[in-house]
Amino acid sequence: MENSIQDINQPVAPISSLTGQSIKVFAPATVANVVCGFDVLGFAVNEPGDEVIMRVTGKPGITISKITGDDGRLPLDPAKNTVSVSVQHYLKSVGRTNIGLDIELHKKMPIGSGLGSSSASTVAGLFAIKTLLGDNADPAKLLPFAMKGEEMACGHGHADNVAPALLGGFVLIRSYDPLEVVRLPHPAGLYCTIVFPDVDVPTREAREIIRNKILMKDAVTQWGNIAGLVSGLFMQDIDLMGRSMKDILVEPVRSMLIPDFYRMREMAMELGAVSFGISGSGPSVFAFTKNEDTAKRITQKLQQHLTSLKIGSNTYVSTINDQGPKVL
Ligand code: HSE
């Protein structure tokens, strides 16, 4: 899926006038799949998220001067980092590869968490360069570049993290080829509670263990649930959403990588969650609730449970982030 130059507006600002300018951008974490919509559904949350500071230098080419919060795990080499690689693809499309950029990446969320960590960084970088260049194109036009970053990070260019990180809210990937994304409404007063158990589950590996073939009867169950979830979003019916958020295809396999997944689900549902499932490829789990108190109680109890298993965790409670990336 290549963006051609006529797909996107030409940035207006001449490079010489930009030298010395800088911008700081935040992009949000995302919950991909939303349980039943493997690779086709995702939504953005208010926290956590990543920050990119981008400066226009006088010397053509991209450098990465600093990465924080990654425990030294991410490459500073611009040819190997998802942020610089996707920015480079964008620059090529708009004919601005002669610009000089320096990037600082501040990771504010765990890597390999199933919260769209690489997507948040990539989207922050793309939004930063688009804003610096004064490119008024629809942010959705940045999607193919962000997907290049995903492909590099985990071997597959899925869009269910990058699309909601870029557009905010709930997003459906209606089609990958041709790429078509649809922003969906969601009920007001929906809370999301996220628990990240501190175990490593790389997306690349979590994709390799999924079955390639499925039975027709399972497909019928799954697409009934996806349609039910999307209907619930449109009808503002949180209970219909909850009933529909069941995954019989991927969760049975991936749940094995998550400590005490089924016990955590039982606890969350007993405490009043309307749904519970794996966030993206895991190990983070998430639940929807109808109010903040229930969301907070669930994070506390699940965190206590993980502590009793000697597993550290991070927790977040958030409403849906409808804005996507923002300049700080
Ligand atoms: N849809 C992707 C997967 C999301 O489940 O592998 C990865 O975060």
Side-chain angles (χ1 to χ4, degrees):
M1 231 164 325
E2 288 291 330
N3 246 26
S4 64
I5 201 155
Q6 60 270 29
D7 273 335
I8 32 191
N9 295 352
Q10 286 301 292
V12 286
I15 288 172
S16 54
S17 71
L18 296 174
T19 305
Q21 284 197 26
S22 76
I23 192 170
K24 184 176 183 182
V25 169
F26 163 90
T30 44
V31 172
N33 301 336
V34 202
V35 183
C36 51
F38 179 70
D39 276 359
V40 300
L41 283 173
F43 65 88
V45 288
N46 294 318
E47 62 149 0
D50 282 348
E51 288 170 16
V52 160
I53 299 172
M54 190 176 277
R55 289 186 196 86
V56 183
T57 65
K59 194 170 162 232
I62 302 180
T63 53
I64 302 176
S65 56
K66 193 188 222 180
I67 303 179
T68 63
D70 69 326
D71 291 330
R73 288 169 66 184
L74 298 178
L76 285 160
D77 179 349
K80 295 190 179 141
N81 187 292
T82 58
V83 181
S84 38
V85 167
S86 34
V87 166
Q88 184 65 27
H89 278 291
Y90 166 82
L91 289 172
K92 215 166 136 193
S93 280
V94 294
R96 295 297 180 103
T97 45
N98 54 340
I99 195 170
L101 295 174
D102 180 64
I103 294 171
E104 273 184 32
L105 170 59
H106 299 285
K107 296 295 303 173
K108 307 269 176 165
M109 69 169 112
I111 297 169
S113 56
L115 294 173
S117 170
S118 57
S119 302
S121 306
T122 303
V123 164
L126 284 168
F127 197 75
I129 184 63
K130 175 184 184 298
T131 310
L132 275 173
L133 290 181
D135 175 355
N136 294 321
D138 180 346
K141 299 285 184 201
L142 296 175
L143 257 183
F145 311 112
M147 288 165 70
K148 292 267 187 214
E150 286 298 80
E151 202 175 324
M152 200 176 148
C154 50
H156 185 266
H158 51 271
D160 50 344
N161 288 116
V162 280
L166 195 55
L167 307 177
F170 262 87
V171 180
L172 165 72
I173 321 302
R174 207 282 306 160
S175 160
Y176 273 89
D177 191 10
L179 184 61
E180 183 181 348
V181 296
V182 182
R183 205 153 174 283
L184 303 173
H186 61 84
L190 189 63
Y191 281 83
C192 175
T193 170
I194 294 174
V195 177
F196 162 61
D198 195 1
V199 294
D200 212 24
V201 177
T203 298
R204 193 182 288 268
E205 286 164 34
R207 292 186 77 86
E208 277 167 10
I209 60 172
I210 298 170
R211 282 175 294 157
N212 272 326
K213 293 193 176 148
I214 58 170
L215 295 174
M216 177 59 89
K217 75 174 175 55
D218 289 345
V220 171
T221 304
Q222 196 84 1
W223 61 55
N225 281 332
I226 297 172
L229 170 54
V230 173
S231 302
L233 288 167
F234 272 92
M235 293 161 71
Q236 313 241 336
D237 184 338
I238 297 179
D239 293 315
L240 172 59
M241 289 172 59
R243 286 197 300 284
S244 308
M245 288 170 67
K246 302 208 169 79
D247 171 22
I248 59 166
L249 301 180
V250 180
E251 184 183 280
V253 185
R254 282 187 172 168
S255 55
M256 292 187 287
L257 304 174
I258 299 169
D260 238 2
F261 175 79
Y262 289 103
R263 177 66 194 129
M264 286 201 286
R265 171 149 82 193
E266 210 171 62
M267 290 172 72
M269 299 309 282
E270 277 168 15
L271 289 163
V274 290
S275 63
F276 179 88
I278 304 172
S279 172
S281 57
S284 290
V285 290
F286 80 103
F288 278 142
T289 64
K290 291 180 185 172
N291 61 65
E292 194 175 8
D293 282 349
T294 309
K296 284 186 174 158
R297 228 177 14 251
I298 293 171
T299 54
Q300 277 165 10
K301 292 286 176 193
L302 294 192
Q303 186 158 48
Q304 278 167 11
H305 182 66
L306 288 166
T307 306
S308 75
L309 300 174
K310 304 206 175 347
I311 296 169
S313 57
N314 295 11
T315 62
Y316 310 93
V317 170
S318 171
T319 50
I320 307 297
N321 171 334
D322 284 312
Q323 188 182 2
K326 64 177 179 201
V327 176
L328 297 174

